[in-house]
């Protein structure tokens, strides 16, 4: 039985988020420049996106460029931005052929105008697609996102548009760039690093974490299947006890 066949389609993670790491090391191992790793990373992006859509996963978020990545050498940043534009140019048809819509989260005001225009254009062109949503995290970091939410909530509170007592989980979630997108249930990080790196900190409160030793350009559909299978073998208790999962009538201590 293949790995793909072992996956239970009824128990898929609704949202998978991936920290694509290891492009630079992959290139270095081959005696090449870092951008060579990023270019080959695009193949893994295509493979993973296709595998997720074929499985029936509804949301896939890829951490493509973090707020901290702005501190990289200028030539690597501009090569990454050009790669993003060229990939969107070549892959828009593939997105539509596979009924995938593109979304973006992050501080898009910081990315170069030409890149922002391409991202917006692809989002608009694919908006009618109803299969999977592919979310690119661009110029994204959780601390930026959370501070941004706090500022907007404060402004609205000062303008008497909401009261302090209105602030709860549900309201806070609406002020994040992921508003309307369900929380990830599975987070994958490649390259053997065990970090979250400022990624979706609020949203992954109860996500299952999966770490792969593969460097991102080597990541394949089979690797995604392995991660999904691992997810399906975990017991997700959300703070409850095992017995409550099989017998929901066991009295809960708190409503929330
Ligand atoms: C991390 O590897 C990877 C990135 C910062 C960029 C990811 C970009 C791509 C895969 C290509 C473009 C993406 C899309 C969606 C078109 P790293 O450079 O930090 O690797 P290292 O830790 O080995 O140095």
């Amino acid at each position: 039985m293949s790995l793909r066949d072992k996956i239970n389609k009824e128990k898929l993670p609704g949202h998978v988020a991936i920290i694509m790491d290891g492009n630079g090391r992959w290139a270095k191992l081959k005696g090449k420049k870092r951008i060579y790793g990023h270019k080959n990373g695009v193949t893994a992006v295509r493979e993973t996106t296709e595998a997720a859509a074929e499985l029936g996963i509804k949301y896939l978020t890829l951490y493509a460029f973090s707020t901290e990545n702005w501190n990289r050498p200028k030539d690597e940043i501009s090569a990454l931005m050009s790669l993003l534009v060229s990939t969107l140019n070549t892959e828009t048809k593939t997105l539509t052929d596979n009924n995938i819509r593109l979304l973006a989260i992050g501080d898009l005001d910081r990315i170069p105008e030409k890149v922002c225009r391409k991202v917006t254009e692809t989002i608009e062109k694919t908006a009618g697609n109803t299969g999977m949503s592919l979310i690119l995290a661009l110029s994204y970091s959780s601390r930026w996102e959370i501070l941004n939410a706090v500022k907007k909530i404060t402004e609205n509170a000062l303008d008497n548009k909401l009261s302090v007592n209105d602030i709860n989980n549900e309201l806070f979630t609406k002020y994040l760039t992921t508003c309307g997108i369900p929380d990830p249930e599975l987070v994958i990080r490649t390259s053997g690093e065990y970090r979250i790196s400022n990624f979706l900190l609020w949203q992954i409160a109860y996500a299952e974490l999966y770490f792969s030793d593969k460097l991102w350009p080597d990541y394949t559909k089979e690797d995604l299947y392995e991660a999904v299978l691992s997810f399906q073998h975990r017991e997700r208790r959300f703070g409850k006890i095992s017995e409550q999962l099989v017998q929901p009538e066991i009295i809960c201590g708190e409503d929330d």
Side-chain angles (χ1 to χ4, degrees):
M1 205 188 210
S2 72
L3 278 180
R4 189 182 161 173
D5 290 339
K6 287 185 188 162
I7 293 173
N8 178 351
K9 292 282 178 64
E10 307 302 315
K11 279 181 66 181
L12 287 173
H15 183 172
V16 176
I18 307 185
I19 303 173
M20 310 179 288
D21 195 17
N23 292 352
R25 276 164 287 164
W26 186 90
K28 199 173 174 190
L29 283 170
K30 294 190 157 31
K32 304 274 191 184
K33 291 192 172 151
R34 295 179 55 81
I35 188 63
Y36 183 72
H38 296 314
K39 282 184 179 156
N40 281 275
V42 174
T43 310
V45 167
R46 194 181 301 119
E47 281 273 299
T48 313
T49 305
E50 204 175 275
E54 283 166 359
L55 281 177
I57 287 166
K58 287 287 171 212
Y59 295 87
L60 174 69
T61 297
L62 301 176
Y63 204 3
F65 195 87
S66 72
T67 304
E68 289 74 23
N69 287 154
W70 289 116
N71 298 320
R72 290 196 173 190
K74 271 203 169 75
D75 59 343
E76 183 171 343
I77 296 175
S78 63
L80 270 168
M81 293 297 148
S82 305
L83 189 59
L84 184 65
V85 173
S86 63
T87 306
L88 291 177
N89 274 330
T90 54
E91 300 297 333
T92 305
K93 188 176 175 314
T94 322
L95 292 176
T96 296
D97 288 347
N98 290 285
N99 200 17
I100 300 170
R101 70 167 172 162
L102 187 80
L103 298 173
I105 54 168
D107 190 0
L108 299 186
D109 290 343
R110 276 188 82 177
I111 65 174
E113 205 190 319
K114 188 179 158 212
V115 183
C116 194
R117 233 182 298 126
K118 187 78 230 169
V119 172
T120 313
E121 185 190 302
T122 315
I123 290 173
E124 285 166 3
K125 275 191 185 160
T126 60
N129 298 340
T130 54
M132 187 176 80
S133 297
L134 172 65
I135 303 145
L136 292 184
L138 291 170
S139 187
Y140 175 87
S141 77
S142 273
R143 288 185 177 178
W144 162 80
E145 180 184 43
I146 289 169
L147 284 176
N148 197 43
V150 169
K151 283 181 199 168
K152 286 186 193 158
I153 290 171
T154 310
E155 274 169 15
N156 285 348
L158 290 173
D159 289 346
N160 291 319
K161 289 182 183 150
L162 59 88
S163 96
V164 172
N165 289 330
D166 294 332
I167 304 172
N168 55 22
N169 281 339
E170 202 191 340
L171 179 124
F172 196 78
T173 299
K174 288 190 181 136
Y175 283 81
L176 297 172
T177 56
T178 50
C179 173
I181 299 170
D183 288 344
E185 293 188 274
L186 171 63
V187 175
I188 300 170
R189 183 180 187 133
T190 59
S191 90
E193 307 277 4
Y194 302 96
R195 282 192 293 278
I196 291 301
S197 301
N198 220 344
F199 186 46
L200 300 172
L201 297 178
W202 173 275
Q203 297 86 340
I204 64 170
Y206 275 99
E208 296 297 322
L209 308 182
Y210 183 89
F211 298 96
S212 163
D213 284 335
K214 286 269 186 92
L215 300 174
W216 179 250
D218 289 330
Y219 205 74
T220 63
K221 289 184 174 188
E222 296 294 303
D223 294 311
L224 182 76
Y225 300 154
E226 260 179 40
V228 170
L229 279 167
S230 165
F231 170 86
Q232 294 190 332
H233 287 111
R234 301 192 190 180
E235 182 182 65
R236 307 186 70 206
R237 292 188 296 279
F238 300 97
K240 294 183 180 170
I241 63 170
S242 289
E243 288 74 6
Q244 285 176 297
L245 303 179
V246 280
Q247 278 179 279
E249 65 275 14
I250 296 177
I251 308 281
C252 295
E254 298 247 349
D255 287 345
D256 202 335

